Amino acid sequence: MDRRKFIKGSALMTGLLSISPMDLLASGQTEESKKGQAKNIIFMISDGMSSGTLSMANLYSRNILGRNTCWMNLYLENRVARALMDTASASSIVTDSAAASSAFGGGVRVKNGVLNVGANGERHMPIWQKFKNKGKKAGCVTTVTITHATPAGFCINSEKRNAEPEIAEMYAEIGFDVMMGGGDEFFNPEKRTDKKDLYAVYKQKGYQVLKTRADLSNIDRNKKILGVYNTGALPFAVDRAGREELQSTPSLADMTSAIDRNKKILGVYNTGALPFDVDRAGREELQSTPSLADMTSAAINHLKDHPDGFVLQVEGGKVDWAAHANDISALIHDQLAFDEAVKTAVDFAEKDGNTLVVITTDHGNANPGTIYGAEATANFDSIAHYKFTNEYILNSIHANHNLQQIKDWIFETNRFRLTDEEAKHLLGFYQGLEKEDGLYNYKKLPFKLYSDIQKKHNSVGWISMDHSGDYVELTMYGPGSNLLKPFVKNTDLHNLMLLATGLA
């Protein structure tokens, strides 16, 4: 079903799930399936997922797409063990992704900003190295750079999470079996400051290098995999969906040249104005990059026949980036893309019978949620009209645009109309009259201003633009899930994985 079409009677579907707490804590798995030893582990992290993100993604999926998410169905069908998890780091009740991943990876809480390195320089062996030493294959896939904090926390030691060029070299030295995501700038000699050709290094070590989505169909099963599909992170999921509309509208040159001089012409190509020219660019990038589910499926297929089993980390990294930008459309659609990867993993685990699937987040971020009001349902459902991320929309506005152009663009992409005052305020950022900072706002876009404008129309609010210290959802399916207690610390998962596989 089209993601922008409302299902009939959607207003009846907006309540919270009618499930008792006791039902949610129960597990529909058999005692045998829960207690068996896991041969494989798939550890899934929706980075920066507050509980409101999980709730709103399911609400959107039910109201607009007509179905619950896979994650919520696991609860509804009592198929999983469930817990709350404390995500603090050694230096703060609010963790960053490096310390959070290190808690899982090294089993010890470290300070924010470092990867598996203690306060006195102790180097805690990351869990994927432990599993490789025991003969299992190991890999990571992510929607951000493969050298980013979350995959790195399972794999290496580093005193600086931002040492991504060096982390790319560490991966090759250790020899992980599947690594897929973004980050061409850390492997490409033309983009690295030291001019090292990391692609050549990986090929010399027996890796097949994948660069496009199509490459996933031509994987050599006898080689390890390095898949790097973009400079920086991969595109947001909702921007992929919006590209078809951009492709269907002509440019000014197209309209000028393709005219039959013997006929009068009426050409209507869009509701409102045609897209800005800058937004036609980058379509090939959107088409050539795989989804998280694509990469997850390819990774599982590549690893599944190894006689000693495998461990795989899967990260929906841009959920966190969307929360930092207070971007509800990006947030929901990347959470849904993560959920598709969850389905891929659980479907495999169900057939395999020997795979423990861990589904969680590393921390909350911005704590978004729906706001009470008479029009809350209709307002929230209007997000179905949002064609692109706020990053994409705001990048398309420039200082020389007039107010009407901005108002037309916002209506075209979000289906609501700015007031003149809102348009003036928005334009002020591009004319240097105002500024806005933020961890992932390197382009200095007016994310907060725009999300505040959107809030009037979609009834979604945010507490901040940064991480939060709240307890988070933790779910397990498969052998070893019986080990999960109702409340855990993030470091507990390190030993749980070792116990579940019989290595502790």
Side-chain angles (χ1 to χ4, degrees):
M1 181 182 293
D2 190 314
R3 65 182 176 84
R4 299 189 183 95
K5 290 183 179 177
F6 296 97
I7 63 170
K8 187 175 182 180
S10 65
L12 299 177
M13 302 182 68
T14 59
L16 294 173
L17 295 173
S18 300
I19 313 170
S20 73
M22 292 306 296
D23 286 339
L24 287 175
L25 289 172
S27 171
Q29 302 174 81
T30 66
E31 289 303 310
E32 183 179 355
S33 67
K34 289 165 58 179
K35 293 181 179 179
Q37 192 171 103
K39 180 180 180 182
N40 313 310
I41 295 175
I42 304 175
F43 196 111
M44 311 199 68
I45 301 173
S46 177
D47 197 303
M49 187 201 76
S50 300
S51 60
T53 301
L54 181 65
S55 299
M56 288 190 297
N58 190 65
L59 183 63
Y60 182 96
S61 186
R62 288 163 53 204
N63 283 17
I64 307 307
L65 305 179
R67 59 179 182 269
N68 285 302
T69 59
C70 175
W71 192 336
M72 207 56 62
N73 272 333
L74 292 173
Y75 289 167
L76 280 164
E77 297 165 5
N78 293 324
R79 299 176 64 195
V80 292
R82 183 190 184 196
L84 286 178
M85 181 172 63
D86 178 352
T87 63
S89 73
S91 56
S92 176
I93 58 172
V94 183
T95 189
D96 76 338
S97 290
S101 187
S102 297
F104 302 142
V108 178
R109 285 183 169 171
V110 298
K111 293 181 179 180
N112 290 345
V114 304
L115 294 160
N116 297 308
V117 177
N120 298 313
E122 311 94 326
R123 301 177 75 82
H124 308 290
M125 180 176 283
I127 194 163
W128 268 203
Q129 289 191 39
K130 290 182 179 181
F131 280 122
K132 277 200 65 73
N133 291 342
K134 293 295 184 178
K136 293 188 185 296
K137 289 190 174 182
C140 299
V141 299
T142 180
T143 54
V144 295
T145 56
I146 190 59
T147 48
H148 212 258
T150 301
F154 277 59
C155 297
I156 58 92
N157 304 86
S158 176
E159 295 180 356
K160 296 181 180 179
R161 60 171 288 178
N162 294 328
E164 293 189 70
E166 292 76 18
I167 291 170
E169 296 183 63
M170 293 180 199
Y171 288 168
E173 186 64 29
I174 297 166
F176 294 106
D177 300 277
V178 175
M179 304 300 279
M180 289 194 279
D184 178 67
E185 65 270 36
F186 305 120
F187 299 86
N188 191 330
E190 296 180 3
K191 298 175 183 178
R192 285 179 61 104
T193 56
D194 60 10
K195 304 303 179 183
K196 288 183 181 179
D197 187 347
L198 265 289
Y199 289 125
V201 170
Y202 275 80
K203 288 177 181 177
Q204 289 169 2
K205 290 180 175 289
Y207 283 80
Q208 179 181 6
V209 176
L210 311 180
K211 289 296 191 71
T212 68
R213 183 178 185 179
D215 290 342
L216 294 177
S217 301
N218 299 290
I219 291 176
D220 185 339
R221 297 184 64 84
N222 297 314
K223 293 184 177 182
K224 296 177 181 181
I225 294 173
L226 174 66
V228 182
Y229 305 103
N230 206 30
T231 298
L234 274 62
F236 282 106
V238 68
D239 288 334
R240 301 176 195 276
R243 73 180 185 269
E244 292 182 3
E245 192 161 325
L246 289 178
Q247 290 175 310
S248 67
T249 56
S251 68
L252 182 60
D254 294 334
M255 292 186 289
T256 303
S257 61
I259 293 175
D260 185 338
R261 295 182 179 275
N262 298 315
K263 294 182 179 180
K264 296 180 180 180
I265 296 172
L266 175 63
V268 182
Y269 306 104
N270 210 25
T271 301
L274 269 61
F276 288 118
D277 284 340
V278 68
D279 298 302
R280 303 178 194 280
R283 290 174 295 185
E284 292 183 3
E285 173 187 88
L286 292 172
Q287 290 175 307
S288 67
T289 55
S291 69
L292 187 60
D294 292 334
M295 293 187 289
T296 302
S297 178
I300 291 172
N301 287 335
H302 194 66
L303 299 170
K304 66 182 181 181
D305 295 327
H306 185 56
D308 293 324
F310 71 88
V311 290
L312 175 68
Q313 184 208 78
V314 178
E315 183 201 16
K318 294 197 79 172
V319 172
D320 184 62
W321 294 22
H324 278 298
N326 287 187
D327 188 335
I328 187 58
S329 184
L331 185 81
I332 286 176
H333 287 284
D334 262 62
Q335 181 64 30
L336 292 177
F338 175 79
D339 194 72
E340 288 296 318
V342 169
K343 185 178 188 307
T344 298
V346 172
D347 285 351
F348 167 77
E350 185 175 24
K351 293 177 182 178
D352 175 69
N354 298 306
T355 301
L356 172 64
V357 182
V358 182
I359 313 166
T360 189
T361 182
D362 51 351
H363 53 75
N365 190 343
N367 288 29
T370 49
I371 301 168
Y372 178 80
E375 301 299 323
T377 300
N379 286 350
F380 180 81
D381 286 353
S382 73
I383 297 167
H385 294 307
Y386 292 11
K387 297 178 181 179
F388 301 105
T389 60
N390 291 352
E391 177 182 327
Y392 198 91
I393 292 168
L394 296 174
N395 264 326
S396 301
I397 299 174
H398 301 286
N400 61 351
H401 288 156
N402 60 45
L403 296 185
Q404 191 58 50
Q405 284 179 304
I406 293 174
K407 292 169 72 173
D408 287 346
W409 177 234
I410 297 305
F411 182 77
E412 172 60 28
T413 53
N414 277 180
R415 280 296 185 272
F416 63 77
R417 298 193 182 279
L418 296 177
T419 65
D420 286 345
E421 189 60 31
E422 288 170 338
K424 289 177 183 177
H425 199 181
L426 201 56
L427 185 59
F429 280 84
Y430 299 89
Q431 296 177 337
L433 302 178
E434 303 181 54
K435 66 178 181 178
E436 187 173 299
D437 296 319
L439 182 62
Y440 287 97
N441 192 6
Y442 58 93
K443 295 182 179 178
K444 307 302 180 186
L445 296 171
F447 286 128
K448 187 176 189 306
L449 167 62
Y450 192 58
S451 70
D452 285 344
I453 292 171
Q454 287 178 316
K455 180 169 65 174
K456 302 172 188 176
H457 303 275
N458 62 29
S459 295
V460 173
W462 311 75
I463 67 162
S464 74
M465 300 183 80
D466 216 331
H467 295 181
S468 56
D470 38 323
Y471 302 145
V472 299
E473 289 282 336
L474 170 60
T475 305
M476 290 187 181
Y477 174 88
S481 60
N482 62 297
L483 299 171
L484 183 63
K485 306 302 182 184
F487 184 79
V488 299
K489 293 170 60 177
N490 46 11
T491 51
D492 293 336
L493 297 191
H494 181 94
N495 287 330
L496 190 151
M497 286 188 281
L498 296 175
L499 285 169
T501 52
L503 297 184

